[in-house]
Amino acid sequence: MSRVLLVANWKMNMTRVEARAYAGDLGSRIGDSSGRVELVLAPPYTALDAARDPRGRWALAAQNLSGERAGAFTGEVSAAMIAEAGCRYVIVGHSERRTLFGEDGPLLSRKLARARESGLIPIYCVGETARERAAGSTRETLAGQARALADDPGDQPLVVAYEPVWAIGTGLAATPADSAAAATDLRTLLAGRRDLRILYGGSVNPGNARDLLGDGGIDGFLVGGASLQAATFAALAEAASA
Ligand code: PGA
């Protein structure tokens, strides 16, 4: 079995000073055990450097990128800049980007293309709202969101994070059965991809990680709130490697 992938999405949290302290704390907790878990930290752009592990026990991800290559786009950060800053991954289409910043399928397709041009592995987020779930249209939502991947090269590694919107930051995680159903749908929708890993995200914590990993049909987690303390993230890594 490939290693469990555990991604810490810090969102708009952590100054450089805080990131440096977190990295030191996490490093001392995980010691030399790279173990069965691949760890990735996704700090704000400003803290990427501070969150780096000189010993390479975790990789870095950016939380977002521009759909443009370069030029007069004030406030944007390009894929090339992110890759040069040491990131291996980039999160694309997080539900907060979709709902709070109006990111739609065509824009996300451009972001995916920019990520590939710079050799970044996308962590592409999908997931239904509570209303879509209640209407029984989860599968249609996932299929619609997966359309942004139509032009993404199938021979490149891809990570898809199933993050039901109703589970993000609510303390109300999906059940392993919910997660497994979505993962099965996604694997069907993306059949033919050579290297596809599926993460679950939404109120993951050290208490529910084992069950989700066991029966949730997934390869790891995208973690928000429970990633903000090094102790909790290390506990998640421990749970995921057990
Ligand atoms: P949460 O966030 O773990 O705080 O629910 C997950 C995410 O938004 O990636």
Side-chain angles (χ1 to χ4, degrees):
M1 201 186 115
S2 64
R3 290 199 297 168
V4 172
L5 177 59
L6 202 55
V7 184
N9 177 11
W10 288 357
K11 309 192 180 183
M12 198 170 73
N13 297 290
M14 302 275 198
T15 64
R16 291 171 58 79
V17 167
E18 289 164 344
R20 226 172 269 122
Y22 181 111
D25 191 2
L26 183 63
S28 64
R29 287 174 190 277
I30 64 171
D32 282 327
S33 60
S34 58
R36 293 176 49 205
V37 184
E38 177 184 353
L39 297 174
V40 179
L41 300 185
Y45 297 129
T46 45
L48 279 168
D49 199 46
R52 179 190 318 277
D53 179 24
R55 291 167 60 186
R57 290 165 296 176
W58 56 83
L60 294 174
Q63 297 174 14
N64 183 28
L65 80 167
S66 176
E68 306 293 337
R69 286 192 186 91
F73 302 102
T74 303
E76 291 289 272
V77 176
S78 75
M81 295 166 184
I82 287 165
E84 191 205 39
C87 291
R88 181 183 305 161
Y89 296 95
V90 60
I91 299 173
V92 180
H94 188 279
S95 76
E96 286 150 19
R97 302 294 322 168
R98 292 178 191 264
T99 55
L100 303 175
F101 301 98
E103 298 196 359
D104 59 7
L107 173 60
L108 296 175
S109 294
R110 291 203 300 281
K111 291 188 176 209
L112 288 161
R114 298 295 84 76
R116 293 302 187 188
E117 286 166 3
S118 290
L120 295 164
I121 301 173
I123 300 171
Y124 181 67
C125 300
V126 298
E128 82 286 2
T129 62
R131 182 179 298 198
E132 289 161 339
R133 176 178 159 86
S137 60
T138 296
R139 185 171 301 167
E140 287 69 32
T141 299
L142 300 183
Q145 292 168 335
R147 275 203 282 277
L149 289 164
D151 295 328
D152 188 64
D155 60 345
Q156 299 291 313
L158 173 68
V159 181
V160 173
Y162 170 60
E163 296 210 305
V165 178
W166 48 269
I168 296 178
T170 58
L172 203 76
T175 63
D178 291 330
S179 161
T184 300
D185 287 342
L186 288 167
R187 288 189 208 280
T188 305
L189 285 164
L190 299 169
R193 294 216 54 123
R194 215 162 64 198
D195 181 355
L196 172 66
R197 284 176 291 174
I198 298 191
L199 307 183
Y200 167 76
S203 299
V204 174
N205 61 54
N208 59 21
R210 288 286 293 282
D211 283 351
L212 281 161
L213 264 184
D215 298 320
I218 47 166
D219 304 295
F221 298 113
L222 179 54
V223 188
S227 76
L228 290 175
Q229 304 289 334
T232 316
F233 194 58
L236 260 174
E238 179 75 35
S241 65

